[in-house]
Amino acid sequence: MHELSFDGVKKYMNEALVLKDVSFQLSEGEKVGIIGQNGSGKTTVLKLIAGILKLKHCEGYPYAPVPPGYDEGWVKITKGSTCSYLEQIPEYTEGVKVINVLNMAFKEVYSIEKEMRELEEKMKELIDSDLEKSLKQYSYLMELYEVNTTLQVM
């Protein structure tokens, strides 16, 4: 079963034709890349997948004649599938420093690290089963931390 399909997609941005008759299907587990020259519509395809852009069909589509400037085709995503999109050129509010933007990438890692430090302090005073529970939690956090720091480096 296809997780994602483009079926004869024709997309206008204002009056400029950006995509013409784009069709493809992706199945679960497939890994793909989109390549092409600047201005060929790669970002438009990704924004349609993520739902940031929508197809603007004319009234009565697909049975009515399609006037110029209206989109055609279908983007279908299987129910339960999730899509994300990372802006090529993100916009930040005025005054945001580069270090703040860089730290955003490690927000989850910092959160896990903070929780580990708090647990370390707490374990200094625990004994028996309470200490055992905390050690298990700490072990879990350590694994989570290692996975997240490995993913950040990749």
Side-chain angles (χ1 to χ4, degrees), residues 103-119 137 141-142 144-145 148-149 152:
N103 284 335
M104 283 185 227
F106 296 97
K107 186 177 179 181
E108 188 171 358
V109 171
Y110 293 147
S111 174
I112 295 167
E113 189 175 38
K114 180 181 179 210
E115 194 174 344
M116 288 171 64
R117 298 301 161 243
E118 289 170 356
L119 195 54
Q137 176 66 18
L141 290 171
M142 181 62 81
L144 198 59
Y145 180 84
N148 276 278
T149 54
Q152 295 289 340

Side-chain angles (χ1 to χ4, degrees), residues 45-63:
V45 168
L46 294 173
K47 285 184 174 184
L48 284 167
I49 292 169
I52 295 166
L53 290 178
K54 306 281 185 205
L55 293 174
K56 187 180 93 181
H57 295 117
C58 67
E59 191 173 326
Y61 183 80
Y63 305 108

Side-chain angles (χ1 to χ4, degrees), residues 57-67 70-74 76:
H57 295 117
C58 67
E59 191 173 326
Y61 183 80
Y63 305 108
V66 180
Y70 282 94
D71 301 331
E72 297 180 42
W74 307 103
K76 299 175 188 167

